[in-house]
C-alpha cells in the first residue's frame, strides 16, 4: 500500500512543477505529516525530492528527474479508455485504476502537454442519466463489473431464478445499468443489474466469443425492445403544429415513420396517421399534451375518454376563476 502511494507521489511531482504538502495530502488521501515522512523516504531511496520552504513552498523533483515507472497495467489501460465517464468508472470500482493511468500518461507527456487532461475535462463532460431522476448505483455492480473485466463466470439470482452467466459487457443507458451475458451456455440476453438479488464469482473463467460486438448487440436489442413495447395502435388527426410536436411526446421513431406514411393533408392542413403506441393509457397521457392539435379518431373507447376529459376541462375553465 505504501509502495503504491510513493510511486503515485513521484508521478504527481513529475507531472507538475511543484505541489504543496496540502495538495499532495489531498491527492493521496493521507495527512500532511505522512507526506513529510514519504518525502523523506523517497529522498533516502535516491529519488531527488526537494522541499521549498516558505508560504509559496512545496515539494518538487530536482534536475528534471523522471521515473520509468510509467508503464500501464492492463486494468489501468482499459480504465483509461473509459475516462470520459467518471461516474461510471466510480460505480464500477475502477476510479483508482483510471486515476493511476491518467497520472502515468501525464508523467510521460512533454511539459507543454501536461495540461491536456485538465483542458479536455473542462471542455467535455458526459452526464448519462436523464433529467428529473436521481440515479442509484446497484449494490452488486462492482462484483458484476469485476466478472466482466476478468471473464469470470457468475453465479446469479435474477428475479428469484438461479443461473450461471458468462458476463460479456456492461451498458449504462439513461442512468440504468444492464449486463449483456450468455446464460448457461445459451444465447445472449440482457439483464438489469438492479434486478439481481445475488451474484457471486464462481472462480471459473469462460472463453470469450471473439466475434461478439457489444455496441452492435446492444443497438439491435435496444431497437427490438423499443418495437416490442409498442403493442397497440391508434389513429389520430394532427394539425401542422401537432405533427411537428408528435415526435417529442411519443416514441420518436414510431412517430416519424407514421408521419412519413401519412396521406396528403386535408382541407384544414391536417394529416391522419396510424401510430403504434405502448398502450391506450400511455397514448392518452402523451396526446393530451398536444391539446386541440391532435384529434383521436380510433379506438372508439379511447376517443370517448378524450371527449370526457375535454368536457371536464371545459367545465373547469368556463366559469370565473376560483368558482366551483
Amino acid at each position: 500500500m505504501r509502495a503504491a502511494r510513493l510511486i503515485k507521489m513521484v508521478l504527481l511531482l513529475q507531472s507538475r512543477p511543484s505541489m504543496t504538502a496540502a495538495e499532495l495530502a489531498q491527492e493521496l488521501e493521507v495527512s500532511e505529516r505522512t507526506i513529510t515522512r514519504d518525502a523523506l523516504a523517497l529522498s533516502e531511496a535516491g529519488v531527488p525530492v526537494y522541499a521549498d520552504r516558505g508560504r509559496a513552498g512545496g515539494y518538487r523533483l530536482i534536475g528534471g528527474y523522471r521515473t520509468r515507472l510509467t508503464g500501464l497495467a492492463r486494468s489501468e489501460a482499459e480504465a483509461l479508455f473509459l475516462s470520459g465517464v467518471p461516474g461510471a468508472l466510480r460505480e464500477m470500482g475502477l476510479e483508482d485504476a483510471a486515476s493511476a493511468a491518467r497520472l502515468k500518461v501525464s508523467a510521460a507527456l512533454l511539459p507543454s502537454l501536461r495540461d491536456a487532461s485538465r483542458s479536455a475535462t473542462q471542455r467535455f463532460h458526459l452526464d448519462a442519466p436523464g433529467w428529473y431522476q436521481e440515479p442509484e448505483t446497484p449494490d452488486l455492480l462492482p462484483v458484476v463489473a469485476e466478472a466482466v473485466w476478468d471473464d469470470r463466470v457468475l453465479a446469479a439470482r435474477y428475479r428469484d431464478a438461479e443461473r450461471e452467466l458468462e458476463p460479456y459487457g456492461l451498458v449504462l443507458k439513461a442512468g440504468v445499468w444492464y449486463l449483456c451475458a450468455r446464460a448457461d451456455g445459451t444465447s445472449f440476453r440482457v439483464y438489469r443489474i438492479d434486478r439481481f438479488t445475488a451474484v457471486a464469482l464462481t472462480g471459473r473463467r469462460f472463453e470469450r466469443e471473439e466475434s461478439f460486438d457489444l455496441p452492435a448487440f446492444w443497438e439491435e436489442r435496444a431497437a427490438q425492445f423499443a418495437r416490442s413495447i409498442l403493442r397497440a395502435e391508434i389513429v389520430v388527426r394532427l394539425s401542422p403544429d401537432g405533427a411537428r410536436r408528435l415526435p417529442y411526446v411519443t416514441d420518436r421513431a414510431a412517430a416519424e415513420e407514421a408521419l412519413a406514411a401519412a396521406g396528403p393533408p386535408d382541407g384544414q392542413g391536417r394529416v391522419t396517421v396510424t401510430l403504434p403506441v405502448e398502450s391506450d393509457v400511455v397514448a392518452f397521457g402523451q396526446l393530451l399534451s398536444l391539446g386541440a392539435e391532435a384529434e383521436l379518431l380510433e379506438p372508439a373507447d379511447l376517443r370517448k375518454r378524450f371527449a370526457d376529459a375535454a368536457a371536464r376541462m371545459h367545465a373547469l375553465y368556463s366559469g370565473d376563476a376560483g368558482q366551483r
Side-chain angles (χ1 to χ4, degrees):
M1 185 70 177
R2 190 190 186 198
R5 188 177 71 243
L6 292 174
I7 291 172
K8 189 172 183 180
M9 183 174 175
V10 173
L11 291 172
L12 282 168
L13 293 174
Q14 185 172 314
S15 64
R16 307 178 194 183
S18 69
M19 295 183 70
T20 66
E23 290 171 338
L24 285 167
Q26 182 176 3
E27 288 278 356
L28 300 174
E29 299 180 349
V30 294
S31 68
E32 292 185 33
R33 181 174 295 181
T34 298
I35 294 298
T36 302
R37 289 198 297 266
D38 285 353
L40 180 60
L42 287 171
S43 180
E44 291 174 348
V47 178
V49 177
Y50 181 77
D52 289 318
R53 305 298 178 185
R55 295 181 60 184
Y59 292 93
R60 61 184 175 86
L61 293 174
I62 301 175
Y65 175 86
R66 298 181 65 81
T67 177
R68 294 185 179 182
L69 297 173
T70 53
L72 294 177
R74 181 177 181 83
S75 62
E76 294 169 347
E78 291 170 336
L80 187 61
F81 285 101
L82 296 173
S83 59
V85 282
L89 281 168
R90 183 172 55 253
E91 292 174 8
M92 288 189 290
L94 295 173
E95 188 174 27
D96 288 345
S99 176
R102 286 192 295 268
L103 265 177
K104 290 180 178 180
V105 170
S106 178
L109 292 175
L110 293 172
S112 60
L113 298 176
R114 286 178 187 166
D115 66 340
S117 176
R118 184 180 184 280
S119 176
T121 57
Q122 293 304 313
R123 286 164 175 78
F124 174 77
H125 176 69
L126 175 64
D127 186 6
W131 292 104
Y132 313 119
Q133 58 180 325
E134 187 66 30
E136 294 184 4
T137 303
D139 293 336
L140 300 176
L141 176 61
V143 179
V144 177
E146 182 180 352
V148 169
W149 288 115
D150 291 341
D151 296 339
R152 303 273 289 280
V153 176
L154 270 179
R157 186 182 304 120
Y158 189 78
R159 290 178 169 174
D160 297 327
E162 302 279 351
R163 62 196 73 191
E164 285 197 345
L165 301 177
E166 296 177 357
Y168 269 68
L170 288 165
V171 175
L172 178 60
K173 170 72 171 179
V176 179
W177 284 94
Y178 297 88
L179 172 68
C180 302
R182 187 155 52 187
D184 302 318
T186 59
S187 59
F188 290 98
R189 296 182 58 185
V190 176
Y191 303 87
R192 273 187 61 149
I193 301 294
D194 58 7
R195 291 179 181 165
F196 283 109
T197 55
V199 294
L201 299 173
T202 63
R204 305 195 314 275
R205 281 184 162 79
F206 64 92
E207 195 70 30
R208 179 174 285 266
E209 189 176 304
E210 293 301 326
S211 62
F212 178 79
D213 186 330
L214 179 61
F217 171 78
W218 177 259
E219 183 178 1
E220 179 185 352
R221 288 303 173 91
Q224 289 176 359
F225 175 76
R227 290 192 297 268
S228 71
I229 64 173
L230 303 179
R231 301 186 181 94
E233 279 189 347
I234 61 173
V235 180
V236 59
R237 183 183 293 126
L238 299 161
S239 71
D241 187 51
R244 180 184 61 80
R245 291 164 54 192
L246 183 66
Y248 298 97
V249 301
T250 185
D251 183 86
R252 177 180 286 272
E256 291 176 347
E257 289 178 8
L259 289 167
D266 60 18
Q268 297 178 323
R270 291 177 173 258
V271 294
T272 300
V273 302
T274 300
L275 179 69
V277 293
E278 187 173 343
S279 67
D280 288 356
V281 173
V282 172
F284 178 77
Q286 292 172 336
L287 294 184
L288 198 62
S289 66
L290 297 180
E293 307 305 320
E295 178 189 0
L296 194 287
L297 302 179
E298 296 178 16
D301 55 346
L302 184 57
R303 179 180 173 87
K304 183 179 183 304
R305 185 175 178 186
F306 273 100
D308 292 342
R312 291 196 304 273
M313 291 187 70
H314 175 74
L316 184 65
Y317 288 99
S318 59
D320 293 335
Q323 292 186 354
R324 296 290 184 269

